[in-house]
Amino acid sequence: QVQLVESGGGLVQAGGSLRLSCAASEGTFSGYNVGWFRQAPGKEREFVAGVDFSGRLTYYADSVKGRFTISRDNAKKTAYLQMNSLKPEDTAVYYCAVFRGWGSQRLAELGPTGWGQGTQVTVSS
C-alpha cells in the first residue's frame, strides 16, 4: 500500500510559479501511475495531471494544459508538479495519489489511492 506526502504549496501572485512534490513514504512507487488532483472550497476534487509508471507518458486537464508539467523520479520515489503562469482560479488544496486507470479525468474511473494530507496553493490577483 503506497502512502504519499505532498509539499511545496504556498501563497503566490498571479503569473507566478510553484513546484509541488509528492513523496512516497511507504510502499512500491514505481509500479503505479501518479496523479495530481485539487479541491477548491465548495467544489469537488478534480483531476489535474497524470504521469504513467515509467514517466514517459503524461496528460492534463484542459484548464492547466500548457501551464503545468508533471514529472517523476522513481529512484527518489517522488513525483512533481511544476506550475507556471498561475491564476487565482488555481487556488485549491492539491493532492497526489496513485491510480491504475489511464486517460480518464473521472476519479471514479481512475480509482486513486494513497492520498496524502494535501498542500494548499493560494494565488492572489
Side-chain angles (χ1 to χ4, degrees):
Q1 183 77 14
V2 177
Q3 193 62 45
L4 303 171
V5 179
E6 304 93 342
S7 61
L11 173 64
V12 63
Q13 289 189 331
S17 298
L18 282 174
R19 189 194 196 202
L20 307 183
S21 296
C22 168
S25 61
E26 56 186 81
T28 302
F29 180 76
S30 60
Y32 292 94
N33 304 322
V34 175
W36 283 97
F37 305 81
R38 66 187 182 186
Q39 188 165 18
K43 295 189 176 181
E44 293 187 351
R45 193 168 298 188
E46 64 178 2
F47 170 84
V48 174
V51 58
D52 80 325
F53 66 94
S54 72
R56 290 192 292 268
L57 299 177
T58 61
Y59 69 112
Y60 300 89
D62 287 344
S63 59
V64 306
K65 201 172 294 182
R67 300 188 297 121
F68 291 10
T69 303
I70 188 172
S71 61
R72 67 189 295 164
D73 184 337
N74 284 338
K76 295 183 178 179
K77 299 177 70 174
T78 302
Y80 305 95
L81 186 68
Q82 178 66 42
M83 305 186 296
N84 299 329
S85 302
L86 283 161
K87 304 175 181 179
E89 51 263 45
D90 294 318
T91 295
V93 178
Y94 283 70
Y95 301 88
C96 62
V98 296
F99 64 96
R100 293 197 177 275
W102 184 256
S104 173
Q105 297 187 25
R106 297 182 61 189
L107 271 65
E109 294 178 355
L110 294 175
T113 60
W115 297 104
Q117 81 291 345
T119 186
Q120 176 71 47
V121 172
T122 303
V123 185
S124 63
S125 56

